Amino acid sequence: MPLHLTFFWWATIGHVLFGVTPVGAANLTEWKPRSIYQTMTDRFARTDGSITAPCNTTEGLYCGGTWRGTIDQLDYIQGMGFDAVMISPIVENVAGRVDYGEAYHGYWPLNLQALNEHFGTHQDLLDLSDALHSRGMYLLMDTVINNMAYMTHGRDPATAIDYSVFTPFNNSDYFHSYCQVTDWNDFTNAQLCQTGDNQTALPDLYTEHQEVQDLLIDWAGTMIKTYSIDGLRIDAAKHVDSGFLHRFVEAVGVFTTGEVFQREIDIICKYQASYIQSMPNYPIYYAMLDAFTQGNTSSLALEVDLIKKACPDVTTLVSFSENHDVARTPSMNSDMALAKNILTFTLLFDGIPMIYQGQEQHLKSSGTPRNREALWLTKYDVESELYRLIATLNAIRRHAYEMGADYLDDETATIYRGGSELGFRKGVEGRQLIMVLSSQGSSQAKPYSVTLPSSYNAGVAVIDVLDCHNYTVSDTGELIVPMEKGEPHVFFPTSLMPGSGLCGWSKSNATLTELKTGSPPSESGVPPSLRIPIWWSRWFCWGVFLVLVTLVAG
Ligand SMILES: *[C@@H]1O[C@H](CO)[C@@H](O)[C@H](O)[C@H]1NC(C)=O
Ligand SMILES: *[C@@H]1O[C@H](CO)[C@@H](O)[C@H](O)[C@H]1NC(C)=O
Ligand SMILES: *[C@@H]1O[C@H](CO)[C@@H](O)[C@H](O)[C@H]1NC(C)=O
Ligand SMILES: *[C@@H]1O[C@H](CO)[C@@H](O)[C@H](O)[C@H]1NC(C)=O
Ligand SMILES: *[C@@H]1O[C@H](CO)[C@@H](O)[C@H](O)[C@H]1NC(C)=O
Ligand SMILES: *[C@@H]1O[C@H](CO)[C@@H](O)[C@H](O)[C@H]1NC(C)=O
Ligand SMILES: *[C@@H]1O[C@H](CO)[C@@H](O)[C@H](O)[C@H]1NC(C)=O
């Protein structure tokens, strides 16, 4: 029996015998409130729980991370307030090594119907999925559908590849005939040719062909069912035939975000309009670097505005500032205050945030492969400054949308731009969140203040959730923000803080109505229909209104 059928049977038997209801298969609406932590399985956590096992990133060998290790570190992830985890690709990869290493990252598929045994067993992956779901967290699977991989060790990929080794694509007919991508900005060239190099060829699947399409769609569907996967990231989506990309996304029916590694807003927005609703937000990523590593605030203010106008929906893109393909931001500037500003913007800007493992520990390595550090060497420090900052930012984001899911649909607007300051607002009037960021870094010479001409209504009390200081908007509607040591600020109306779990308020399921009417959060156990303050105040208002109408009419 083919392996994928074996998996399927196990899932079915589990369902029948133990009443396990596979969760999974979440759509875009269900993903929008989520906040994702990106792991690279081999480098995140080991089964033995080691925090000393060496891992030389430039050697590029497997370092021993596993799905079981990931299960054991879910507290670490959840402790930052994340409610989804992306894992690196799960399928069996090519064995062996080239000059720059092995397939530890998972992007060199060999057999789609077997798992990468370095990461664990079928049961381990099921257990990881269950462990996430039992915490109310989602599982996002990174997925390669553009190519397979073959080590040619310098031989010519046009002749050296033995296609019979691939499963299920065991024949050269399933592939484009060999050519190397020569122009990465020519999409036809980039989609028909190979992205690999002369050591590891990445034979390019003939994704225009119906049979290849069907096999990939069936495979993805089986994985989603078997492991109760909630969403997918499509690696190298730009290199997949766009028509197929669209068909694939529709067919798998789960939330899917596709890597289109381009800075140009018009390309990303065209993809969104035509092929795939969600992509990592590369245009904003680059503009963020301009602001916080180059000190160019105009670029970010401009792009925030442009992308909103050009894209069908900027709130479905994935907001990120580091990942396994780009240099870590502290490698460009290691200032701690800048790292805080970057994280604040990443987590509170439009879209679904995704934070790459290690950003919370202020790792400073430059690009691939150095940015794939073994996280265990940081000892999973839950006291680190950025770990705690992320927890606060995830908490206020969650609280803002618990006050109304329209928070997520409301697009960020730039409300202030100075030589080294940026102010952004997101959310519906009256319960908007405002961030004031600085590109100065912690070496900022002396304190000064910034006056926001528009923020909240005059007289409104707000709190900076990052340091718990209270502010009141002046009678003329100005909010005066002290700028010190390059620190970011995040404001929210004080009256809406109960239930947030921040600045001394306990965490509870407060709703906007309750906060506005002053009734206690739902934990009192009183059914909503009997909550006197709400009803009473409504009847009272109506009474006053009727009396007034009568008086005026009379
Ligand atoms: C997403 O799934 C939820 C829950 O199953 C459902 O209520 C909602 O209508 C779905 N949204 C879309 C856009 O399909
Ligand atoms: C890592 O591996 C590279 C390449 O083999 C080697 O040059 C370097 O010294 C190693 N680094 C450490 C810290 O062992
Ligand atoms: C392989 O590629 C490298 C770098 O692009 C190049 O220096 C080398 O000559 C190539 N080797 C062969 C055998 O083509
Ligand atoms: C490819 O796999 C199919 C299905 O398993 C098999 O029938 C066929 O003989 C294989 N072809 C080659 C060239 O190995
Ligand atoms: C800042 O970025 C903008 C937009 O990308 C660019 O036009 C401008 O030249 C940059 N300014 C500096 C000082 O680099
Ligand atoms: C800020 O305001 C809140 C609500 O009025 C109050 O409970 C809290 O003690 C104030 N905090 C400080 C530091 O003054
Ligand atoms: C909030 O509500 C959810 C679902 O009703 C519940 O599981 C959770 O325990 C509640 N949290 C608090 C802090 O009351």
Side-chain angles (χ1 to χ4, degrees), residues 154-155 197-199:
R155 286 171 299 145
D197 58 27
N198 58 19
Q199 292 214 28

Side-chain angles (χ1 to χ4, degrees), residues 60 77 85 154 420 465 473 494 550:
I77 298 175
V85 175
S420 53
V465 301
V473 179
T494 316
T550 315

Side-chain angles (χ1 to χ4, degrees), residues 56-59 97:
N56 182 334
T57 52
T58 46
E59 263 179 347
R97 64 179 285 188

Side-chain angles (χ1 to χ4, degrees), residues 277-339:
Q277 274 180 306
S278 181
M279 280 157 282
N281 197 336
Y282 270 101
I284 292 296
Y285 158 75
Y286 284 112
M288 200 185 328
L289 296 187
D290 287 348
F292 301 112
T293 69
Q294 309 287 322
N296 184 345
T297 53
S298 64
S299 168
L300 185 57
L302 185 73
E303 302 252 321
V304 164
D305 208 39
L306 287 177
I307 196 164
K308 226 173 13 180
K309 292 186 181 126
C311 275
D313 188 357
V314 70
T315 71
T316 64
L317 299 175
V318 167
S319 169
F320 73 98
S321 38
E322 292 184 10
N323 66 35
H324 61 292
D325 287 328
V326 297
R328 292 196 180 272
T329 52
S331 73
M332 301 166 217
N333 191 323
S334 65
D335 185 85
M336 182 56 94
L338 290 176

Side-chain angles (χ1 to χ4, degrees), residues 12 21 48 165 251 383 403 484:
T12 312
T21 309
D48 63 8
V165 301
E383 297 299 325
M403 295 291 105
E484 224 174 316

